[in-house]
Amino acid sequence: MARRKKIYEGKAKILYEGPEPGTIVQYFKDDATAFNAQKKDVVDGKGVLNNRLSEFFMTGLNNVGVPTHFIRRLNMREQLVRSCEIIPLEIIVRNFAAGSLSERLGIEEGTQLPRPIVEYCFKDDALGDPLVSEEHIAAFGWASQQDMDDILSLALRVNDYLSGVMYGVGIKLVDFKIEIGRVYDGDFQRLVVADEISPDSCRLWDIESGRKLDKDVFRRDLGNLTDAYSEVARRLGVLPRTPMVKPTLIN
């Protein structure tokens, strides 16, 4: 079997050249990072869970008419996705105050916001992914005004879908971040949701207890990250609700 060509390696994923033109194989690692990779660890099974959960969310979005780069899952750690030109922005949608928003504006964590707030960060690890305005985005040519209108629409549609799915299994969608890519069909360009959607990129709290079921478990040393992600997967039906019991051997 020919060795695959690595295109890019990030903190949580590796991208390989796909089997057909215009495709990429996205491999999910077990690496966990926080605070711009200042805190690192390897969490057994994290990559498998994120692969399955991202498949679940991307498939759901495709089914409700929100375009994504996802094509199909290949195995427990890999999925086939469309090659796209990533816009150098992280799009953050916030429904409740948490994390940097609480710190910046002095709003108590958990406070419901008057409406979903969409923020943009410039994707640059060396700079710590700084917050930017639409004025910065237009001035530096990262996206056109039409792109920004489409990005906002996509972000809010993703929020509607994820909020509903999570609420249905007793989970509050506090906030999340997505990336958007450009796909070209000849001269025609369209925007798609890219990268991943998983507990790595969302804040998820149990509605009743407030228990955190996302990467804040790792950031704040709140317990076992795999257990938290597995709980999300079980509630969504991605994993069985009860562990398989080994049969008892009778002599």
Side-chain angles (χ1 to χ4, degrees):
M1 182 177 174
R3 187 176 180 84
R4 295 183 300 179
K5 180 182 178 183
K6 183 193 292 187
I7 299 172
Y8 171 80
E9 181 167 0
K11 289 176 284 192
K13 292 183 295 296
I14 304 174
L15 303 182
Y16 296 98
E17 204 170 65
E20 298 105 25
T23 65
I24 288 174
V25 173
Q26 188 164 259
Y27 174 92
F28 287 77
K29 304 195 294 185
D30 281 343
D31 296 31
T33 63
F35 311 116
N36 202 22
Q38 293 178 32
K39 182 177 183 179
K40 302 177 185 179
D41 202 356
V42 175
V43 179
D44 289 341
K46 172 178 169 288
V48 171
L49 287 163
N50 280 350
N51 183 30
R52 296 293 303 275
L53 284 164
S54 194
E55 172 197 17
F56 176 88
F57 294 128
M58 292 290 190
T59 300
L61 287 169
N62 284 334
N63 289 341
V64 298
V66 179
T68 79
H69 72 160
F70 179 80
I71 300 173
R72 67 179 182 273
R73 181 168 58 86
L74 298 173
N75 53 52
M76 294 301 284
R77 287 188 178 273
E78 295 178 327
Q79 54 185 234
L80 188 68
V81 300
R82 290 180 182 83
S83 177
C84 55
E85 177 189 310
I86 297 293
I87 294 173
L89 298 171
E90 288 183 348
I91 296 90
I92 302 164
V93 182
R94 300 181 183 275
N95 298 307
F96 297 85
S100 61
L101 181 71
S102 291
E103 294 169 7
R104 278 185 279 124
L105 302 182
I107 303 173
E108 184 178 356
E109 192 162 81
T111 301
Q112 184 167 3
L113 301 174
R115 60 180 177 85
I117 293 176
V118 181
E119 297 180 327
Y120 307 97
C121 290
F122 178 53
K123 272 179 60 64
D124 189 314
D125 286 342
L127 298 175
D129 301 326
L131 193 68
V132 293
S133 68
E134 289 195 39
E135 184 68 18
H136 293 104
I137 294 166
F140 295 117
W142 296 326
S144 67
Q145 185 57 57
Q146 182 60 58
D147 286 340
M148 292 307 299
D149 292 344
D150 293 343
I151 287 170
L152 178 62
S153 175
L154 282 172
L156 293 176
R157 288 172 70 193
V158 172
N159 188 44
D160 286 344
Y161 169 76
L162 290 180
S163 294
V165 168
M166 291 302 185
Y167 184 80
V169 294
I171 295 174
K172 180 188 294 184
L173 179 67
V174 175
D175 58 38
F176 66 92
K177 65 179 180 181
I178 54 173
E179 294 183 15
I180 301 293
R182 296 186 179 96
V183 174
Y184 296 94
D185 295 317
D187 294 332
F188 178 71
Q189 167 204 298
R190 64 191 178 107
L191 299 185
V192 300
V193 179
D195 192 44
E196 69 175 292
I197 299 177
S198 74
D200 266 10
S201 58
C202 305
R203 276 194 175 89
L204 307 171
W205 296 355
D206 178 78
I207 287 176
E208 292 187 2
S209 68
R211 177 190 168 202
K212 292 175 173 55
L213 301 169
D214 55 68
K215 200 162 75 168
D216 274 348
V217 172
F218 174 70
R219 290 188 188 98
R220 304 183 184 186
D221 298 314
L222 298 176
N224 185 290
L225 192 65
T226 305
D227 288 348
Y229 286 20
S230 296
E231 175 66 17
V232 175
R234 277 192 291 271
R235 292 196 194 186
L236 293 169
V238 174
L239 290 181
R241 279 200 165 269
T242 54
M244 291 182 64
V245 179
K246 292 182 180 179
T248 303
L249 296 177
I250 302 174
N251 293 326

